[in-house]
Structure formats: structure tokens, C-alpha cells
Amino acid sequence: MKVVKAVLDTGLFESHLHASHGKPTALRSALRTWFCYTTVFNAMELFAKARTARQRRAVEDVLSAVKILGMNGRNAGKFARIAGPGGGGIDPSALIAGICIEAHL
């Protein structure tokens, strides 16, 4: 049996965190269906939006259900090429895409 993998975006976690307790969510469905990942950048977004200790604990709890993918420094050049040429900042979406490509997801 082939394991199907999915990389989950920040919005899926946010919707789950804002849902009524026990209510079915897309995150719960995803976790039942696939082996789920997210990236360190998605995790950072969630923690940045958490304002209280209770919210931070809720983020920690929800992230414990998935594997968090990080960035390998030796591939920095590849990540920069994904982001495109120029002197501006790098779009977080490009960094997330780079991590997914690096992880073959």
C-alpha cells in the first residue's frame, strides 16, 4: 500500500484552531487520509499569530500531529533560484516550495 503524503498550508491549521471544539475540520480529515507535513515557515506563521500562552500551546499541539520540514543550507542556491532573480526579499511561498521540492513532496 502506497502512503500518500501531503504538505499542509497555514490556513488549514488556522481554520482548525478557530473551529468549535470537536467540530469536524479539513485538518482532521487530512490527518486521517494522508501522512501530513508542513514547513518551518508555516509553523513560524502560526506562532507569530499566537498572542497568548494558551494560543501558543494550541499551536504546539496542532503541529505535533505533523512532521515539520526544515531547510538545508547546502541547497540555499536552489532556493534562491526558485525565488527568482533580483535584489528584493524572497517570497515565503518560494521558500515553502523549495522545501517541498527538496523533500520530494
Side-chain angles (χ1 to χ4, degrees):
M1 180 173 151
K2 184 175 179 178
V3 175
V4 180
K5 301 173 185 176
V7 180
L8 307 181
D9 190 42
T10 307
L12 204 61
F13 293 100
E14 289 176 329
S15 295
H16 177 80
L17 290 167
H18 293 298
S20 299
H21 183 70
K23 182 180 177 188
T25 64
L27 177 62
R28 288 181 195 275
S29 178
L31 292 170
R32 281 192 308 271
T33 307
W34 306 303
F35 188 88
C36 296
Y37 299 84
T38 197
T39 71
V40 66
F41 299 110
N42 299 106
M44 288 169 55
E45 281 185 296
L46 292 169
F47 279 113
K49 292 178 181 184
R51 299 287 177 236
T52 66
R54 182 177 181 212
Q55 290 173 339
R56 284 187 291 279
R57 282 192 305 275
V59 168
E60 289 171 358
D61 288 346
V62 76
L63 289 174
S64 70
V66 299
K67 180 167 175 49
I68 299 175
L69 301 170
M71 184 184 244
N72 187 324
R74 68 188 150 118
N75 290 320
K78 292 179 189 176
F79 285 101
R81 283 192 296 281
I82 291 168
I90 296 176
D91 180 357
S93 296
L95 296 172
I96 291 168
I99 287 175
C100 293
I101 290 168
E102 184 177 88
H104 305 288
L105 296 169

